[in-house]
Amino acid sequence: MKRYLTGIKPTGRAHIGNYFGAIKPAIEFSKQQDAENFYFIADYHALTTLQNKEDMIEYTYEIACTWLACGLDPNKVVFYRQSDVPEVFELNWILNNVTPKGLMNRAHAYKAIVERNAEAGVTVDEGVNMGLYNYPILMASDIMLLDADCVPIGLDQKQHLEIARDICHNFNLKYGNILKEPQYYIEDNTCTLLGLDGRKMSKSYNNTIPLFCDEKTLQKTINRIVTDSSLPTDPKPLDCVINKLYKLFASESEQKVMDEKLSTGIGWGDAKKELYRVMNEYIAPMRTKYDYYMSHRDEVDKILEDGAVKARKIATKTLQRVRKAIGVN
Ligand code: ADP
Ligand code: TRP
């Protein structure tokens, strides 16, 4: 049976771009037969930038409840917090020592900051902490600790997986075939959602539609979608942001009716009302679950603790193997 593992960073409220681009495909992926799935909340990766106690607690629950509400089944997926599996930090230290510094210098996230600093005329390492610099090694540790066969990721994480494979290779070259070399899988049929202003929906552009908020906020947010000043009777382009979003939530027959209305003329206000209706209908059952978990945090803790117990069973075995191989047992 193949073992799949992936990490989820708690970085604030999920938006519908995260849902269609990452959460939904990963949950569907976890439902395949003959696979073991390990999905974890990478809270110690978030610590590189998230350095406020209240936000750390809140974001961690928000992301855990979001995934549970969206259909992650704890019986099918071992769901845990990275920080509940302390073995990862011992492996992390060990892997530090087979990782050339130059490999980290070439990591995209670090390189981007260095380049930005150079352009701004400040010292190259301004604003870089060692956690950020070593981020890819911790990620390699997450993966190899659990003997993962394959890591489903978004395209933005590809370099991190190449680095993990390099680190694995370096270790095995020195100590024998001890660590499993991870493959990765990039889902290529995910879509990129556009935000309120027509650019890619992203927290960094502040143009998102939150996945879980109250109905009034959802309605108000949809009303902020930027449109032009055409009259209700004017035909509208079928590839407008409103229609692109509509297609994700509406049935085929509803989509046909909307296409028809846009071609012959419908006011933007009415189109937004109709978008709100289908979106709310789609999200409401998940929102109910989300609200339930957010107010039953002990249940969430229990799920994550159970997951950590399962993950640690594998982790301790890997670590024993590694310690023996390097001669510290
Ligand atoms: P943000 O850009 O809002 O900070 P993240 O970088 O935290 O989002 O992305 C988390 C996951 O959600 C990634 O796998 C990313 O590919 C996916 N994602 C983010 N924004 C979108 C979007 N607009 N459309 C589709 N997927 C997205
Ligand atoms: N770096 C990943 C991200 O930002 C999160 C992550 C941490 C991860 N550890 C991992 C992903 C291990 C896959 C495997 O999305």
Side-chain angles (χ1 to χ4, degrees):
M1 209 184 332
K2 245 187 162 180
R3 181 174 298 157
Y4 293 94
L5 170 138
T6 199
I8 305 151
K9 232 161 74 169
T11 49
R13 287 223 145 171
H15 53 73
I16 60 167
N18 300 140
Y19 176 73
F20 284 101
I23 303 172
K24 187 168 177 265
I27 288 174
E28 267 160 24
F29 190 82
S30 74
K31 290 184 178 148
Q32 61 181 328
Q33 297 305 313
D34 295 329
E36 265 185 303
N37 299 285
F38 289 76
Y39 288 9
F40 67 93
I41 301 173
D43 47 0
Y44 270 130
H45 274 105
L47 187 64
T48 59
T49 51
L50 178 60
Q51 303 190 344
N52 168 295
K53 177 183 161 183
E54 283 74 30
D55 287 350
M56 179 63 95
I57 294 171
E58 216 42 41
Y59 288 0
T60 301
Y61 277 117
E62 276 178 10
I63 207 76
C65 296
T66 297
W67 282 69
L68 290 168
C70 292
L72 182 143
D73 175 0
N75 295 313
K76 190 84 183 95
V77 179
V78 178
F79 192 36
Y80 61 99
R81 270 194 204 103
Q82 183 183 35
S83 56
D84 285 338
V85 183
E87 288 78 11
V88 76
F89 304 105
E90 189 168 344
L91 184 60
N92 181 49
W93 177 254
I94 297 168
L95 294 184
N96 260 289
N97 298 283
V98 295
T99 305
K101 179 166 176 284
L103 190 60
M104 296 300 97
N105 292 341
R106 290 194 293 277
H108 292 325
Y110 172 68
K111 239 172 83 178
I113 300 178
V114 167
E115 279 163 16
R116 219 180 309 135
N117 283 341
E119 261 170 45
V122 295
T123 49
V124 288
D125 284 329
E126 180 87 17
V128 180
N129 62 49
M130 288 306 291
L132 193 78
Y133 188 69
N134 287 329
Y135 186 108
I137 312 178
L138 181 57
M139 196 162 150
S141 310
D142 292 327
I143 299 166
M144 264 98 79
L145 185 71
L146 273 284
D147 279 337
D149 292 295
C150 184
V151 184
I153 43 162
L155 189 60
D156 60 325
Q157 296 298 311
K158 186 174 170 200
Q159 193 201 27
H160 285 149
L161 262 295
E162 303 282 6
I163 292 175
R165 286 164 57 86
D166 275 355
I167 294 176
C168 177
H169 190 69
N170 290 349
F171 185 90
N172 285 348
L173 215 57
K174 227 171 232 157
Y175 296 108
N177 204 9
I178 304 291
L179 296 174
K180 186 173 271 179
E181 191 168 309
Q183 310 286 318
Y184 56 87
Y185 167 75
I186 296 175
E187 179 96 46
D188 56 9
N189 58 359
T190 60
C191 47
T192 298
L193 269 69
L194 302 183
L196 302 176
D197 56 0
R199 291 185 293 173
K200 179 190 174 214
M201 187 178 292
S202 171
K203 284 185 278 285
S204 14
Y205 294 148
N206 203 10
N207 64 354
T208 65
I209 300 177
L211 179 57
F212 298 128
C213 57
D214 60 73
E215 295 185 340
K216 217 174 184 154
T217 308
L218 181 62
Q219 198 161 19
K220 275 192 183 159
T221 310
I222 290 173
N223 283 338
R224 282 173 44 217
I225 296 174
V226 177
T227 49
D228 60 22
S229 54
S230 56
L231 297 171
T233 45
D234 293 336
K236 316 273 187 292
L238 293 186
D239 63 352
C240 61
V241 174
I242 293 180
N243 203 30
K244 278 188 174 155
L245 290 173
Y246 190 76
K247 289 194 183 314
L248 294 166
F249 297 95
S251 69
E252 265 181 41
S253 55
E254 285 169 331
Q255 291 178 41
K256 260 194 201 147
V257 174
M258 180 58 100
D259 282 352
E260 184 66 33
K261 281 189 183 161
L262 286 166
S263 314
T264 53
I266 176 176
W268 286 124
D270 287 338
K272 286 176 178 177
K273 256 190 215 145
E274 173 61 8
L275 173 61
Y276 165 74
R277 187 187 66 77
V278 290
M279 205 185 270
N280 192 46
E281 218 171 88
Y282 185 107
I283 293 175
M286 297 196 291
R287 186 196 293 131
T288 305
K289 276 202 203 171
Y290 177 78
D291 292 342
Y292 174 85
Y293 282 119
M294 282 300 275
S295 56
H296 292 78
R297 297 187 180 199
D298 48 334
E299 283 186 33
V300 179
D301 287 337
K302 177 84 176 68
I303 291 170
L304 296 173
E305 281 158 21
D306 287 353
V309 169
K310 290 182 193 152
R312 290 188 75 182
K313 271 203 184 122
I314 300 166
T316 44
K317 282 201 187 128
T318 309
L319 206 50
Q320 268 168 12
R321 208 165 72 224
V322 170
R323 290 176 64 124
K324 200 168 160 207
I326 63 174
V328 297
N329 234 358

